[in-house]
Amino acid sequence: MINKVDDKGELPIFRARSRAGDFIFCGTIGVICLISALFFAHGSVLAGGIIAGGYLIALILRYSLLSDAPAVRAGTNVSEEQLELIERLRALLNALPQPVMLLNDEGSIEMSNRASEEMFGKQSTGRHIAAVIRVPKAHEALRTLEATGKPVETEISLTGAQERTALFYAAGLGISNAHDRGAMIVMLRDRTEQKKLERMRTDFVANASHELRTPLASMAGFIETLQGHAKNDPAARERFLEVMAAQADRMLRLVEDLIGLSAIELNETKPLTDKVDLAALTASVTESLQPIAQAKNSELIVETGDVPAMVLGDRHELFRLFQNLCENALKYGVNEETGRATVTVRVGFGHPPAREGYIRTGDSAPQIAVRAGVEEARLVHVQIADNGEGIEPNDLPRLTERFYRVNPQLSRAKGGTGLGLAIVKHILGRHRGGLQIESQLGEGSTFTVFFPPLQGEQLPRTLSADKDKRTERA
């Protein structure tokens, strides 16, 4: 086995010695000590102590210098030329973007490159492959390689913080040395993005074909009617064209939502770089939706306060998130008695007061705080509340499913695609946030989104004072 490199990435020559070298060195020191003893014919105790002490000191120095060096099989030595070749091999492996591991005949990892250490940790070298890659399909592939001697390739799933898909490739090294005939090389190629793209393409085709079938069939029927007996009927032509325009607009929104959802899924693993003030962003969203609210004879109120609510995120995605929630509240939060919707958007910190009598589902503030590793009081929340008719309890857990509609006919009549809350869910997933839904029939609904604060952001002064007071009372 080859020794490890030092902090500078170099391989010190004095550490690359074999067990045979250790025995030769010890034997040489012993012979020198015996020859020296001949010069002390009187047999002095002091002379014997000096000889024994020198011998022990030499052994201690020898093994202290080699304490970090793994053992090499007896009878083997590593020359400087071989060391240079090993260093070049290590540099070559480190230059590869895919994880690569060299296994000995016992299945232990003798050498791994930098990409492998990034994926499985720096302590993987020296461990058995079964302790590093705990995937039955991978071990089955290695057994097949041992039995047939032919290279094997299989697709495996790696669990962790995020599930990944990789192509596992293993081949024998064909070493003639009797001790290393079973040596193998293992390489993994990450296929997570490719699998995600394939799944997105499949989902897009399935969803688009399902959702577009009805409006396309409707438009085809109207066109056939206009080409037939309604050809010379101006009133029917005007009515049919109006319906066809509405169906075309619905299909356009559906395609835009599907493309947007696919783009969000594709960017889920990309790091967030924008510092976003949610108070300013929600104010901008509500301002852009004021014309829609006025057209519906509804009211859109925003309560952001004077304290910035900073988070790390994607400004475009967050704008779309709050836009979807506010539009949904204006569409479906209409009070039957007044015929108008009153939507209130509030920005705050920690957990907002629970609404008495409301049924709650989704993520809670404590869950998100633990998941994000922050104090619950430091969470940033945005709450969108309406005074509509509420949502049936059985429908609450399914609201974020794709194409799920509480009232399909009402949703289609209002131009809904059934993807708005699915988009919200995926955006929150990328931002390590969560969604909590509260509703009571006849009273209204509340959608609250939680976000971890920007790292290093201080707790607002007013909240800090309140927290200190609570601590003092406790």
Side-chain angles (χ1 to χ4, degrees):
M1 183 178 292
I2 306 304
N3 2 307
K4 300 177 182 178
V5 298
D6 59 12
D7 295 337
K8 299 181 180 179
E10 299 174 351
L11 189 63
I13 294 176
F14 69 85
R15 291 191 178 186
R17 298 292 189 267
S18 65
R19 289 295 186 189
D22 289 344
F23 288 119
I24 293 173
F25 180 85
C26 295
T28 303
I29 295 296
V31 171
I32 293 173
C33 291
L34 290 174
I35 293 174
S36 300
L38 296 177
F39 292 96
F40 297 92
H42 50 74
S44 171
V45 176
L46 177 61
I50 293 174
I51 294 172
Y55 186 69
L56 289 175
I57 291 172
L59 288 180
I60 292 171
L61 289 175
R62 171 65 177 179
Y63 282 100
S64 65
L65 291 174
L66 294 175
S67 60
D68 296 334
V72 181
R73 288 190 177 89
T76 62
N77 287 295
V78 181
S79 65
E80 293 187 15
E81 291 78 9
Q82 290 173 317
L83 284 175
E84 183 178 357
L85 180 61
I86 292 168
E87 289 179 356
R88 295 180 68 179
L89 172 61
R90 192 186 299 274
L92 174 64
L93 293 179
N94 286 334
L96 296 176
Q98 297 93 358
V100 179
M101 293 173 282
L102 301 180
L103 311 183
N104 61 16
D105 55 342
E106 297 177 354
S108 297
I109 302 174
E110 285 196 343
M111 186 183 297
S112 59
N113 66 346
R114 190 172 292 111
S116 177
E117 292 176 353
E118 291 175 357
M119 179 174 286
F120 300 107
K122 293 184 178 181
Q123 305 302 323
S124 58
T125 303
R127 300 173 62 190
H128 196 275
I129 186 67
V132 177
I133 303 179
R134 301 179 180 180
V135 182
K137 287 183 66 176
H139 306 321
E140 184 180 347
L142 292 176
R143 287 193 292 270
T144 302
L145 171 61
E146 292 176 354
T148 63
K150 297 180 180 179
V152 292
E153 191 175 61
T154 185
E155 189 174 88
I156 62 174
S157 295
L158 301 171
T159 58
Q162 290 183 344
E163 186 173 345
R164 291 172 295 181
T165 303
L167 200 62
F168 181 89
Y169 174 84
L173 294 179
I175 297 176
S176 58
N177 189 332
H179 294 293
D180 293 321
R181 285 179 180 172
M184 295 173 284
I185 183 170
V186 170
M187 183 174 68
L188 289 89
R189 188 166 74 248
D190 196 341
R191 297 191 70 247
T192 306
E193 294 298 327
Q194 291 88 332
K195 294 292 290 185
K196 185 179 292 185
L197 287 172
E198 292 172 6
R199 186 175 66 253
M200 286 166 53
R201 185 174 63 247
T202 303
D203 291 345
F204 180 85
V205 172
N207 294 330
S209 61
H210 173 74
E211 291 295 322
L212 293 175
R213 185 180 294 113
T214 300
L216 283 174
S218 176
M219 292 179 67
F222 286 133
I223 292 172
E224 183 178 352
T225 303
L226 289 174
Q227 289 175 336
H229 62 273
K231 181 186 299 184
N232 299 320
D233 188 345
R237 183 168 63 247
E238 189 70 22
R239 186 172 68 255
F240 289 168
L241 288 175
E242 184 178 349
V243 176
M244 290 169 65
Q247 295 289 357
D249 183 61
R250 179 191 165 203
M251 286 192 293
L252 181 61
R253 286 196 305 272
L254 178 61
V255 172
E256 288 177 349
D257 281 352
L258 284 170
I259 293 174
L261 184 58
S262 299
I264 292 168
E265 288 180 331
L266 188 62
N267 294 329
E268 277 182 340
T269 57
K270 292 184 179 180
L272 301 168
T273 56
D274 298 337
K275 296 180 180 179
V276 185
D277 180 4
L278 294 187
L281 184 66
T282 51
S284 177
V285 170
T286 53
E287 184 179 356
S288 68
L289 293 176
Q290 287 296 344
I292 298 177
Q294 293 173 4
K296 296 177 178 291
N297 191 29
S298 297
E299 189 176 10
L300 189 57
I301 306 169
V302 58
E303 300 174 1
T304 60
D306 300 328
V307 180
M310 303 300 297
V311 300
L312 188 66
D314 185 308
R315 185 179 299 274
H316 174 73
E317 289 187 357
L318 291 174
F319 189 96
R320 184 166 190 177
L321 181 150
F322 297 122
Q323 187 180 50
N324 283 0
L325 291 175
C326 291
E327 284 183 344
N328 279 354
L330 290 171
K331 287 178 183 177
Y332 309 112
V334 178
N335 187 282
E336 289 188 355
E337 294 181 0
T338 61
R340 61 197 300 268
T342 301
V343 179
T344 305
V345 181
R346 299 184 182 91
V347 181
F349 298 87
H351 199 299
R355 307 191 71 174
E356 188 177 352
Y358 278 54
I359 297 175
R360 186 181 301 112
T361 187
D363 298 316
S364 65
Q367 289 174 331
I368 299 165
V370 171
R371 197 163 60 211
V374 299
E375 296 180 18
E376 182 181 339
R378 298 185 67 237
L379 287 176
V380 181
H381 72 257
V382 179
Q383 189 178 72
I384 294 92
D386 63 61
N387 64 334
E389 297 305 309
I391 304 169
E392 290 284 350
N394 293 336
D395 293 318
L396 288 176
R398 302 190 59 189
L399 289 179
T400 56
E401 295 180 12
R402 296 187 185 188
F403 301 110
Y404 184 80
R405 299 179 177 92
V406 175
N407 188 334
Q409 292 182 349
L410 178 63
S411 176
R412 292 191 178 97
K414 291 182 177 291
T417 62
L419 292 174
L421 290 179
I423 292 174
V424 168
K425 178 182 177 181
H426 280 277
I427 294 176
L428 286 173
R430 186 186 178 197
H431 288 74
R432 297 190 305 150
L435 172 65
Q436 185 178 86
I437 306 173
E438 298 172 290
S439 185
Q440 184 178 10
L441 292 177
E443 295 292 333
S445 303
T446 300
F447 292 78
T448 306
V449 289
F450 297 92
F451 299 91
L454 183 65
Q455 189 173 5
E457 190 72 10
Q458 296 297 322
L459 194 67
R461 187 176 302 171
T462 55
L463 295 179
S464 298
D466 293 341
K467 182 181 177 184
D468 293 339
K469 290 178 182 178
R470 290 195 301 269
T471 304
E472 291 174 1
R473 287 197 297 268

